[in-house]
């Protein structure tokens, strides 16, 4: 797999040295130092470059500095600050207890330039992960979450499905904005923005762009479905990009019994099968390690539907949800989950995809937003392919809220209709191409924005659900 340095860095830092590509020694050295947490040494390498070298590599240098900035932003609590916050939850906590909780991965820390730093979300995560102290509270919170999810599932299962197994169709009108603060970019410079837009995945249809703050260009050939816009920066005024759009979306339901009844052997010669059972570095791994792990979970089971179900149950039972690091700073998502013993929606989805692909079950990424009448938030899920049925939706993370019958299998082969899907893959190139390292190098939900001289990280964006209208 041949990749240039900019793309490799935006994908992962850890994969750089094993990629097999050639590059200047200083680039390799800088990435190794960055991975080791030796940020001061990275800055020294950059400072010692000739002016010619700097002028020839502005994007790579910007990417190195941006990555260090993101890691520092995530790991910004000193041990003293972290312990003080922890003592608000656990008075009289001892240093030895803290070391035990670090070893159990309840507390997440990192060494940067020889000093320990605590993850900014680690105290909140501590209360989600430490069942020894918070087991009753975790169980109580889950009980309420389970009830809300189960009511939604009961309603979906009561409806008649169409020929594509879709029901609960509704028209949704949304407004998405991205705003850059005043004077963030010099006056008169062109500001370039990419905003998310829905695409046809069998559960979304009839897309309409109702209005936009600037002329838009729809993406072509990218796994990240976007509208691209440009505006000139005006002195003392924020640069705001906004679109209003509508689309129809429904829930899709495939029963496990029907999939089993219609199951056929995989046709392994098709492009669909080959493309969705292969390794895609850095976050989809197909190798001996993952195959061995998957085989240990399925035992002697040969049926891919049941194999997938067993792996799904293992992940949902063993890897609780917790607030995530900046995705762009994680070299390999599945490895991270296995090492840290927890994962958010996208992290467990990529672990699941890797395990399925490693035993020959096609699986692929999907993500965007999850919403209700008065709320919207980022979410990641996936699709699994079973010969005889086709692609079926799957939400790995939601499996943690549906352990009890009759709902425990729902999100293995079904999905609710409160989704705004905008990505059908990870780490893709934008259309039109983006010059600088993206804020979201893996996924795409918050929008992206840049100008000629730099990526812009200081901006705000949000999705508002204006109206949901059921289709009779």
């Amino acid at each position: 797999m041949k990749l240039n340095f900019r793309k490799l860095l935006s994908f992962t830092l850890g994969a750089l040295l094993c990629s097999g590509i050639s590059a200047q020694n200083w680039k390799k050295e800088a990435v190794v130092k960055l991975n080791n947490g030796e940020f001061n040494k990275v800055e020294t390498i950059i400072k010692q470059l000739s002016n010619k070298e700097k002028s020839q590599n502005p994007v790579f240098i910007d990417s190195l500095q941006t990555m260090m900035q993101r890691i520092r932003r995530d790991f910004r609590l000193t041990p003293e600050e972290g312990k003080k916050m922890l003592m608000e939850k656990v008075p009289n906590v001892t240093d030895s207890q803290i070391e035990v909780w670090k070893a159990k991965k309840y507390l997440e820390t990192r060494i940067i330039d020889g000093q320990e730093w605590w993850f900014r979300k680690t105290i909140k995560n501590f209360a989600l992960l430490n069942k020894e102290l918070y087991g009753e509270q975790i169980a109580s919170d889950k009980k309420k979450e389970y009830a809300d999810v189960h009511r939604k599932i009961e309603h979906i299962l009561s409806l008649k499905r169409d020929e594509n197994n879709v029901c609960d169709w509704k028209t949704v009108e949304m407004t998405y904005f991205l705003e850059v603060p005043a004077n963030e970019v010099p006056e008169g410079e062109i500001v370039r923005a990419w905003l998310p837009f829905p695409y046809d995945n069998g559960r979304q249809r009839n897309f309409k762009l109702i209005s936009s703050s600037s002329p838009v260009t729809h993406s072509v050939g990218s796994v990240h479905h976007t509208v691209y816009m440009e505006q000139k920066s005006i002195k003392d005024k924020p640069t705001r990009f906004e679109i209003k759009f509508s689309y129809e979306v429904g829930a899709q339901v495939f029963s496990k019994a029907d999939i089993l009844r219609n199951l056929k052997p995989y046709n392994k010669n098709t492009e669909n099968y080959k493309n969705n059972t292969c390794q895609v570095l850095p976050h989809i791994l197909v190798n001996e390690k993952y195959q061995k792990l998957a085989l240990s979970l399925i035992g002697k089971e040969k049926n891919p539907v049941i194999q997938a179900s067993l792996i799904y149950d293992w992940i949902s039972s063993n890897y609780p949800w917790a607030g995530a690091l900046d995705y762009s700073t994680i070299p390999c998502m599945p490895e991270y989950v296995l090492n840290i013993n927890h994962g958010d929606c996208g992290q467990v989805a990529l672990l699941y995809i890797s395990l399925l692909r490693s035993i020959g079950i096609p699986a692929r990424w999907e993500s965007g937003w999850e919403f209700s009448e008065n709320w919207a938030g980022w979410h990641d899920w996936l699709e699994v392919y079973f010969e005889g049925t086709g692609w079926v939706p799957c939400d790995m993370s939601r499996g943690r809220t549906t352990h009890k019958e009759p709902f425990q299998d729902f999100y293995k082969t079904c999905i609710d209709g409160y989704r705004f899907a905008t990505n059908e893959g990870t780490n893709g190139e934008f259309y039109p191409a983006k010059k600088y390292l993206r804020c979201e190098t893996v996924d795409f939900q918050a929008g992206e924005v840049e100008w000629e001289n730099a990526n812009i990280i200081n901006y705000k964006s949000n999705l508002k659900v204006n109206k949901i209208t059921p289709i009779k």
Side-chain angles (χ1 to χ4, degrees):
M1 181 173 62
K2 187 177 181 181
L3 296 172
N4 61 43
F5 255 95
R6 174 182 156 240
K7 189 171 182 180
L8 263 174
L9 188 62
S10 70
F11 276 16
T12 179
L13 297 171
L16 183 58
L17 295 181
C18 63
S19 64
I21 64 175
S22 60
Q24 296 99 319
N25 287 335
W26 73 264
K27 291 184 177 181
K28 292 183 180 181
E29 184 181 359
V31 171
V32 172
K33 298 297 184 189
L34 197 157
N35 277 333
N36 291 338
E38 299 174 285
F39 292 3
N40 288 337
K41 291 183 179 179
V42 176
E43 292 291 359
T44 298
I45 290 171
I46 294 172
K47 288 177 182 177
Q48 291 176 345
L49 294 175
S50 66
N51 290 334
K52 180 180 179 181
E53 197 79 56
K54 289 178 181 178
S55 66
Q56 290 175 341
N57 297 280
V59 173
F60 188 82
I61 292 170
D62 177 82
S63 297
L64 285 171
Q65 293 173 328
T66 297
M67 196 63 70
M68 290 187 292
Q69 180 184 15
R70 293 177 186 183
I71 294 171
R72 282 195 171 109
R73 183 178 59 198
D74 262 350
F75 289 88
R76 63 185 186 220
L77 295 176
T78 65
E80 293 75 23
E81 291 170 332
K83 183 176 179 180
K84 182 179 179 181
M85 294 171 66
L86 187 60
M87 289 182 71
E88 294 176 4
K89 294 183 176 293
V90 189
N92 303 316
V93 63
T94 66
D95 291 341
S96 60
Q97 284 178 308
I98 290 174
E99 292 306 313
V100 169
W101 291 333
K102 286 181 188 177
K104 291 185 176 183
K105 312 297 175 68
Y106 299 159
L107 296 169
E108 191 167 2
T109 65
R110 183 168 295 186
I111 303 297
I112 301 174
D113 293 324
Q115 181 178 340
E116 181 180 274
W117 294 89
W118 288 29
F119 178 37
R120 62 188 176 90
K121 298 180 183 178
T122 200
I123 304 303
K124 183 178 180 180
N125 286 347
F126 177 79
L128 298 170
L129 301 172
N130 191 337
K131 292 183 180 180
E132 298 153 25
L133 292 180
Y134 299 101
E136 291 185 9
Q137 183 62 48
I138 293 170
S140 176
D141 292 344
K142 284 186 175 180
K143 187 174 181 180
K144 182 181 183 302
E145 186 179 3
Y146 291 174
D148 292 341
V149 173
H150 293 172
R151 280 193 292 271
K152 183 186 294 184
I153 294 173
E154 281 183 313
H155 171 68
I156 292 169
L157 294 178
S158 71
L159 301 174
K160 183 178 179 180
R161 305 191 293 271
D162 63 21
E163 66 277 6
N164 294 317
N165 290 293
V166 183
C167 62
D168 199 24
W169 283 105
K170 57 193 76 67
T171 300
V172 183
E173 181 185 288
M174 295 178 165
T175 298
Y176 192 100
F177 81 87
L178 185 157
E179 186 173 282
V180 180
N183 305 319
E184 184 75 13
V185 175
E187 182 181 13
E189 293 287 348
I190 298 296
V191 182
R192 311 170 70 217
W194 293 259
L195 279 60
F197 201 75
Y199 70 99
D200 187 353
N201 61 1
R203 303 178 296 278
Q204 298 182 156
R205 66 189 185 190
N206 294 338
F207 317 107
K208 296 178 182 177
L209 181 63
I210 299 170
S211 63
S212 63
S213 57
S214 308
V216 307
T217 299
H218 288 270
S219 58
V220 177
S222 174
V223 298
H224 306 293
H225 295 269
T226 68
V227 291
Y228 170 80
M229 310 166 77
E230 293 183 354
Q231 288 187 42
K232 278 189 177 182
S233 177
I234 301 174
K235 185 176 175 60
D236 298 331
K237 289 188 177 181
T239 307
R240 185 180 177 94
F241 300 89
E242 183 175 294
I243 57 172
K244 183 185 289 186
F245 61 94
S246 68
Y247 68 108
E248 296 174 2
V249 61
Q252 194 168 33
V253 178
F254 292 91
S255 76
K256 187 175 177 180
D258 287 345
I259 297 172
L260 286 168
R261 183 166 46 252
N262 297 322
L263 189 64
K264 299 176 182 178
Y266 284 118
N267 182 350
K268 298 183 179 181
N269 295 319
T270 66
E271 289 301 308
N272 178 57
Y273 184 86
K274 294 176 182 177
N275 291 340
N276 292 289
T277 53
C278 65
Q279 177 166 273
V280 182
L281 292 175
H283 299 301
I284 299 177
L285 302 183
V286 178
N287 57 35
E288 185 178 351
K289 173 183 174 178
Y290 281 78
Q291 182 185 60
K292 185 177 180 180
L293 174 56
L295 291 174
S296 74
L297 301 173
I298 64 175
K300 296 181 179 180
E301 182 58 58
K302 301 298 182 184
N303 188 301
V305 180
I306 302 175
Q307 288 177 337
S309 181
L310 290 169
I311 296 171
Y312 183 105
D313 288 340
W314 177 77
I315 295 175
S316 67
S317 297
N318 288 282
Y319 296 95
W321 187 92
L325 304 180
D326 185 322
Y327 274 17
S328 68
T329 69
I330 301 174
C332 177
M333 217 72 75
E335 285 290 285
Y336 175 80
V337 175
L338 295 179
N339 290 333
I340 204 69
N341 296 328
H342 60 74
D344 77 345
C345 54
Q347 293 165 343
V348 294
L350 286 162
L351 173 60
Y352 190 42
I353 291 170
S354 294
L355 290 171
L356 292 183
R357 288 193 180 195
S358 290
I359 56 171
I361 299 175
R364 65 189 184 189
W365 175 270
E366 190 168 87
S367 72
W369 292 67
E370 189 177 30
F371 63 86
S372 64
E373 286 80 2
N374 53 18
W375 171 86
W378 300 355
H379 194 47
D380 307 326
W381 57 98
L382 66 138
E383 294 180 311
V384 184
Y385 186 83
F386 297 113
E387 200 78 59
T389 297
W391 286 104
V392 302
C394 171
D395 191 327
M396 182 65 253
S397 189
R398 280 281 166 251
R400 295 180 281 208
T401 62
T402 55
H403 283 300
K404 294 183 179 180
E405 289 284 6
F407 309 114
Q408 65 181 13
D409 286 340
F410 182 83
Y411 281 109
K412 294 176 182 177
T413 59
C414 311
I415 204 163
D416 58 80
Y418 290 87
R419 309 288 172 121
F420 163 31
T422 189
N423 305 294
E424 53 182 326
T426 64
N427 299 87
E429 296 287 348
F430 276 7
Y431 179 91
K434 194 171 188 296
K435 181 177 179 180
Y436 291 96
L437 180 68
R438 284 163 38 194
C439 290
E440 293 182 273
T441 57
V442 180
D443 213 355
F444 172 70
Q445 287 140 328
E448 295 282 348
V449 61
E450 68 179 17
W451 67 291
E452 178 61 27
N453 288 356
N455 188 49
I456 299 172
I457 62 173
N458 182 25
Y459 67 92
K460 59 182 179 180
S461 65
N462 200 20
L463 175 72
K464 179 185 177 183
V465 179
N466 301 325
K467 184 167 56 176
I468 300 175
T469 307
I471 299 175
K472 302 287 186 175

